Amino acid sequence: MTAPLVEVKAISKTFTRKAAAAGGKTTHKALDAVSFVMERPELVALIGPSGSGKSTLLRAICGLHAIDRDQGSVRVLGQVVQSGGRLSRDVRGVRARMGLIAQQFNLVPRLSLFTNVALGFLGKASALRGLFGLWTADEKQKVMRALDHVGVAAMAGQRANTLSGGQQQRGAIARAIVQDAEIVLADEPVASLDPVTARKVMKLLLDLNEQDGVGVVVTLHQVDYARAYCDRIWALKDGRVVYDGPSQQLSDETLRDIY
């Protein structure tokens, strides 16, 4: 049997912060025994109120947040990301198969759009080649094909910080294409974009899923986008999964309970 794309088993994440009182501490449980499985490449929306644990869950999946000790596990593409609060020794190898897209684009401002997209090769190319931009002819062609696919090939030579938010976000998607990512984790990728550009970015994620067979998990505040573009919705509230099912079956009554 083929391993699930994502398998999360009973994970919790508790943050500890200093309290106002001298020497005091407060704790906040961002995730509370969360479990789910993504069996095949789907476009899944992760929704819920602010502070419900959406971004924390996404970061736990890629190993940027270590989960609470002695509890749960995360596997991606059949490989262990973390278990019992300890990251796998091969977590970098797993991350090389995942594309990460953030709200703030995560492009290097002073580098060209072309170079930012080419950095998607770093999981396979040597650090030296990446440092000096020693890309092969085939790699350069692949970058330009990816930029053309997302509609920003004409901006390849421009510095990232001269581009609009939508153009930068398309560049981040092109980087995931160059990376040959098998799953993409997108954390509020359209939150800072105007509605027209946001729909274009959501359509690109849909194409990535349907045409290239890439699994996509995207956190969204816009429930309308989740219903329009996504096959399935996971909803979090107070760190717990309160809905997991087809997007079209998410009722208005359930939404009121979630928010």
CSV table of all heavy atoms in Angstrom, one decimal, residues 101-105 163-170 173 188-202 204-205 222 225:
chain,number,residue,atom,x,y,z
A,101,ILE,N,5.0,27.8,1.2
A,101,ILE,CA,4.6,29.1,0.7
A,101,ILE,C,4.0,29.9,1.9
A,101,ILE,O,3.0,29.4,2.5
A,101,ILE,CB,3.6,29.0,-0.4
A,101,ILE,CG1,4.2,28.2,-1.6
A,101,ILE,CG2,3.1,30.4,-0.9
A,101,ILE,CD1,3.2,27.9,-2.7
A,102,ALA,N,4.5,31.1,2.2
A,102,ALA,CA,4.1,31.8,3.3
A,102,ALA,C,3.3,33.1,2.9
A,102,ALA,O,3.4,33.5,1.7
A,102,ALA,CB,5.3,32.2,4.2
A,103,GLN,N,2.6,33.7,3.8
A,103,GLN,CA,1.9,35.0,3.5
A,103,GLN,C,2.8,36.1,3.0
A,103,GLN,O,2.5,36.8,2.2
A,103,GLN,CB,1.2,35.4,4.8
A,103,GLN,CG,0.4,36.7,4.6
A,103,GLN,CD,-0.3,37.1,5.9
A,103,GLN,OE1,-0.4,36.3,6.8
A,103,GLN,NE2,-0.7,38.4,5.9
A,104,GLN,N,4.0,36.1,3.6
A,104,GLN,CA,5.0,37.2,3.3
A,104,GLN,C,6.0,36.7,2.2
A,104,GLN,O,7.1,37.3,2.1
A,104,GLN,CB,5.7,37.6,4.6
A,104,GLN,CG,4.8,38.2,5.6
A,104,GLN,CD,4.0,39.4,5.1
A,104,GLN,OE1,4.5,40.2,4.3
A,104,GLN,NE2,2.8,39.4,5.5
A,105,PHE,N,5.6,35.7,1.4
A,105,PHE,CA,6.3,35.3,0.2
A,105,PHE,C,7.6,34.6,0.4
A,105,PHE,O,8.0,33.7,-0.4
A,105,PHE,CB,6.5,36.5,-0.7
A,105,PHE,CG,5.4,37.5,-0.8
A,105,PHE,CD1,5.6,38.8,-0.5
A,105,PHE,CD2,4.1,37.0,-1.0
A,105,PHE,CE1,4.5,39.7,-0.5
A,105,PHE,CE2,3.0,37.9,-1.0
A,105,PHE,CZ,3.2,39.2,-0.8
A,163,LEU,N,8.7,43.8,-7.0
A,163,LEU,CA,7.5,43.2,-7.5
A,163,LEU,C,6.3,43.4,-6.6
A,163,LEU,O,6.5,43.6,-5.4
A,163,LEU,CB,7.8,41.7,-7.7
A,163,LEU,CG,8.9,41.3,-8.6
A,163,LEU,CD1,9.2,39.8,-8.6
A,163,LEU,CD2,8.7,41.8,-10.0
A,164,SER,N,5.1,43.3,-7.2
A,164,SER,CA,3.9,43.3,-6.4
A,164,SER,C,3.8,42.1,-5.5
A,164,SER,O,4.5,41.1,-5.8
A,164,SER,CB,2.7,43.5,-7.3
A,164,SER,OG,2.5,42.3,-8.0
A,165,GLY,N,2.9,42.1,-4.5
A,165,GLY,CA,2.7,41.0,-3.7
A,165,GLY,C,2.2,39.8,-4.5
A,165,GLY,O,2.7,38.7,-4.2
A,166,GLY,N,1.3,40.0,-5.4
A,166,GLY,CA,0.8,38.9,-6.2
A,166,GLY,C,1.9,38.3,-7.1
A,166,GLY,O,2.0,37.0,-7.3
A,167,GLN,N,2.8,39.1,-7.7
A,167,GLN,CA,3.9,38.6,-8.5
A,167,GLN,C,4.9,37.8,-7.6
A,167,GLN,O,5.4,36.8,-8.0
A,167,GLN,CB,4.6,39.8,-9.2
A,167,GLN,CG,3.8,40.4,-10.3
A,167,GLN,CD,4.3,41.8,-10.7
A,167,GLN,OE1,5.1,42.4,-10.0
A,167,GLN,NE2,3.9,42.3,-11.8
A,168,GLN,N,5.2,38.3,-6.4
A,168,GLN,CA,6.1,37.6,-5.5
A,168,GLN,C,5.5,36.2,-5.1
A,168,GLN,O,6.2,35.2,-5.0
A,168,GLN,CB,6.4,38.4,-4.3
A,168,GLN,CG,7.2,39.6,-4.5
A,168,GLN,CD,7.6,40.3,-3.2
A,168,GLN,OE1,8.3,39.7,-2.4
A,168,GLN,NE2,7.3,41.6,-3.1
A,169,GLN,N,4.1,36.2,-4.9
A,169,GLN,CA,3.5,34.9,-4.5
A,169,GLN,C,3.5,33.9,-5.6
A,169,GLN,O,3.7,32.7,-5.4
A,169,GLN,CB,2.1,35.2,-4.0
A,169,GLN,CG,1.5,34.1,-3.1
A,169,GLN,CD,2.3,34.0,-1.8
A,169,GLN,OE1,3.4,33.4,-1.9
A,169,GLN,NE2,1.7,34.4,-0.7
A,170,ARG,N,3.4,34.4,-6.9
A,170,ARG,CA,3.5,33.5,-8.0
A,170,ARG,C,5.0,33.0,-8.1
A,170,ARG,O,5.2,31.8,-8.5
A,170,ARG,CB,3.2,34.3,-9.3
A,170,ARG,CG,1.7,34.7,-9.4
A,170,ARG,CD,1.4,35.2,-10.7
A,170,ARG,NE,0.2,36.0,-10.8
A,170,ARG,CZ,-0.4,36.4,-11.9
A,170,ARG,NH1,0.1,36.2,-13.1
A,170,ARG,NH2,-1.5,37.1,-11.8
A,173,ILE,N,5.3,30.1,-5.8
A,173,ILE,CA,4.7,28.9,-6.4
A,173,ILE,C,5.6,28.3,-7.4
A,173,ILE,O,5.8,27.1,-7.5
A,173,ILE,CB,3.3,29.2,-6.9
A,173,ILE,CG1,2.3,29.6,-5.8
A,173,ILE,CG2,2.7,28.0,-7.7
A,173,ILE,CD1,1.0,30.1,-6.3
A,188,GLU,N,-1.7,31.0,4.6
A,188,GLU,CA,-2.4,32.2,4.3
A,188,GLU,C,-1.7,32.9,3.1
A,188,GLU,O,-1.3,34.1,3.2
A,188,GLU,CB,-2.4,33.1,5.5
A,188,GLU,CG,-3.2,32.5,6.7
A,188,GLU,CD,-3.4,33.5,7.8
A,188,GLU,OE1,-3.4,34.8,7.6
A,188,GLU,OE2,-3.5,33.1,9.0
A,189,PRO,N,-1.6,32.2,2.0
A,189,PRO,CA,-0.9,32.8,0.8
A,189,PRO,C,-1.6,33.9,0.2
A,189,PRO,O,-1.0,34.7,-0.6
A,189,PRO,CB,-0.8,31.6,-0.1
A,189,PRO,CG,-2.0,30.8,0.2
A,189,PRO,CD,-2.1,30.9,1.7
A,190,VAL,N,-2.9,34.1,0.4
A,190,VAL,CA,-3.7,35.2,-0.2
A,190,VAL,C,-4.2,36.3,0.8
A,190,VAL,O,-4.9,37.2,0.4
A,190,VAL,CB,-4.9,34.6,-1.0
A,190,VAL,CG1,-4.4,33.6,-2.1
A,190,VAL,CG2,-5.9,33.9,-0.1
A,191,ALA,N,-3.7,36.2,2.0
A,191,ALA,CA,-4.2,37.1,3.0
A,191,ALA,C,-3.9,38.6,2.7
A,191,ALA,O,-4.7,39.4,3.1
A,191,ALA,CB,-3.6,36.7,4.4
A,192,SER,N,-2.8,38.9,2.1
A,192,SER,CA,-2.4,40.3,1.9
A,192,SER,C,-2.6,40.7,0.4
A,192,SER,O,-2.1,41.7,0.0
A,192,SER,CB,-1.0,40.5,2.3
A,192,SER,OG,-0.1,39.6,1.5
A,193,LEU,N,-3.4,39.9,-0.3
A,193,LEU,CA,-3.6,40.2,-1.8
A,193,LEU,C,-5.0,40.7,-2.0
A,193,LEU,O,-5.9,40.4,-1.3
A,193,LEU,CB,-3.4,38.9,-2.6
A,193,LEU,CG,-2.0,38.2,-2.4
A,193,LEU,CD1,-2.0,37.0,-3.3
A,193,LEU,CD2,-0.9,39.1,-2.7
A,194,ASP,N,-5.2,41.5,-3.1
A,194,ASP,CA,-6.5,42.0,-3.5
A,194,ASP,C,-7.3,40.8,-4.0
A,194,ASP,O,-6.7,39.7,-4.4
A,194,ASP,CB,-6.4,43.1,-4.5
A,194,ASP,CG,-5.8,42.6,-5.8
A,194,ASP,OD1,-6.5,42.0,-6.6
A,194,ASP,OD2,-4.5,42.7,-6.0
A,195,PRO,N,-8.6,40.9,-4.1
A,195,PRO,CA,-9.5,39.7,-4.4
A,195,PRO,C,-9.1,39.1,-5.8
A,195,PRO,O,-9.1,37.9,-6.0
A,195,PRO,CB,-10.9,40.3,-4.4
A,195,PRO,CG,-10.8,41.4,-3.4
A,195,PRO,CD,-9.5,42.0,-3.6
A,196,VAL,N,-8.9,40.0,-6.8
A,196,VAL,CA,-8.6,39.4,-8.1
A,196,VAL,C,-7.3,38.6,-8.1
A,196,VAL,O,-7.2,37.5,-8.7
A,196,VAL,CB,-8.5,40.6,-9.2
A,196,VAL,CG1,-8.0,40.1,-10.5
A,196,VAL,CG2,-9.9,41.2,-9.3
A,197,THR,N,-6.2,39.2,-7.5
A,197,THR,CA,-4.9,38.5,-7.5
A,197,THR,C,-5.1,37.2,-6.6
A,197,THR,O,-4.5,36.2,-6.9
A,197,THR,CB,-3.9,39.4,-6.9
A,197,THR,OG1,-3.8,40.6,-7.7
A,197,THR,CG2,-2.5,38.8,-6.9
A,198,ALA,N,-5.8,37.3,-5.5
A,198,ALA,CA,-6.0,36.2,-4.6
A,198,ALA,C,-6.6,35.0,-5.4
A,198,ALA,O,-6.2,33.9,-5.2
A,198,ALA,CB,-6.9,36.6,-3.4
A,199,ARG,N,-7.6,35.3,-6.2
A,199,ARG,CA,-8.2,34.2,-7.0
A,199,ARG,C,-7.3,33.6,-8.0
A,199,ARG,O,-7.3,32.4,-8.3
A,199,ARG,CB,-9.5,34.8,-7.7
A,199,ARG,CG,-10.7,35.0,-6.8
A,199,ARG,CD,-12.0,35.2,-7.5
A,199,ARG,NE,-12.0,36.5,-8.2
A,199,ARG,CZ,-12.4,37.6,-7.7
A,199,ARG,NH1,-12.9,37.6,-6.4
A,199,ARG,NH2,-12.4,38.7,-8.3
A,200,LYS,N,-6.4,34.4,-8.6
A,200,LYS,CA,-5.4,33.9,-9.5
A,200,LYS,C,-4.4,33.0,-8.8
A,200,LYS,O,-4.0,31.9,-9.3
A,200,LYS,CB,-4.6,35.1,-10.2
A,200,LYS,CG,-5.5,35.9,-11.2
A,200,LYS,CD,-4.7,37.0,-11.8
A,200,LYS,CE,-5.5,37.8,-12.7
A,200,LYS,NZ,-4.8,39.0,-13.3
A,201,VAL,N,-4.0,33.4,-7.6
A,201,VAL,CA,-3.1,32.5,-6.8
A,201,VAL,C,-3.8,31.2,-6.4
A,201,VAL,O,-3.2,30.1,-6.5
A,201,VAL,CB,-2.6,33.3,-5.6
A,201,VAL,CG1,-1.9,32.3,-4.6
A,201,VAL,CG2,-1.6,34.4,-6.0
A,202,MET,N,-5.0,31.3,-6.0
A,202,MET,CA,-5.8,30.1,-5.7
A,202,MET,C,-5.9,29.2,-6.9
A,202,MET,O,-5.8,27.9,-6.8
A,202,MET,CB,-7.2,30.4,-5.1
A,202,MET,CG,-7.1,31.0,-3.7
A,202,MET,SD,-6.3,29.9,-2.4
A,202,MET,CE,-7.3,28.4,-2.6
A,204,LEU,N,-3.8,28.9,-9.3
A,204,LEU,CA,-2.5,28.3,-9.6
A,204,LEU,C,-2.3,27.1,-8.6
A,204,LEU,O,-1.8,26.1,-9.0
A,204,LEU,CB,-1.4,29.3,-9.4
A,204,LEU,CG,-1.2,30.4,-10.5
A,204,LEU,CD1,-0.2,31.4,-10.1
A,204,LEU,CD2,-0.7,29.7,-11.8
A,205,LEU,N,-2.7,27.3,-7.4
A,205,LEU,CA,-2.6,26.1,-6.4
A,205,LEU,C,-3.5,25.0,-6.9
A,205,LEU,O,-3.1,23.8,-6.8
A,205,LEU,CB,-3.0,26.6,-5.0
A,205,LEU,CG,-2.0,27.6,-4.4
A,205,LEU,CD1,-2.6,28.0,-3.0
A,205,LEU,CD2,-0.6,26.9,-4.2
A,222,GLN,N,-10.6,33.1,4.3
A,222,GLN,CA,-11.7,33.3,3.4
A,222,GLN,C,-12.4,32.0,3.1
A,222,GLN,O,-12.0,31.2,2.3
A,222,GLN,CB,-11.2,33.9,2.1
A,222,GLN,CG,-10.4,35.2,2.2
A,222,GLN,CD,-8.9,35.0,2.4
A,222,GLN,OE1,-8.5,34.0,2.8
A,222,GLN,NE2,-8.2,36.1,2.1
A,225,TYR,N,-13.3,31.0,-0.5
A,225,TYR,CA,-12.2,30.4,-1.3
A,225,TYR,C,-12.1,28.9,-1.0
A,225,TYR,O,-11.8,28.1,-1.9
A,225,TYR,CB,-10.9,31.1,-1.1
A,225,TYR,CG,-10.8,32.6,-1.6
A,225,TYR,CD1,-9.8,33.4,-1.2
A,225,TYR,CD2,-11.7,33.0,-2.5
A,225,TYR,CE1,-9.7,34.7,-1.7
A,225,TYR,CE2,-11.6,34.3,-3.0
A,225,TYR,CZ,-10.6,35.2,-2.6
A,225,TYR,OH,-10.5,36.5,-3.0
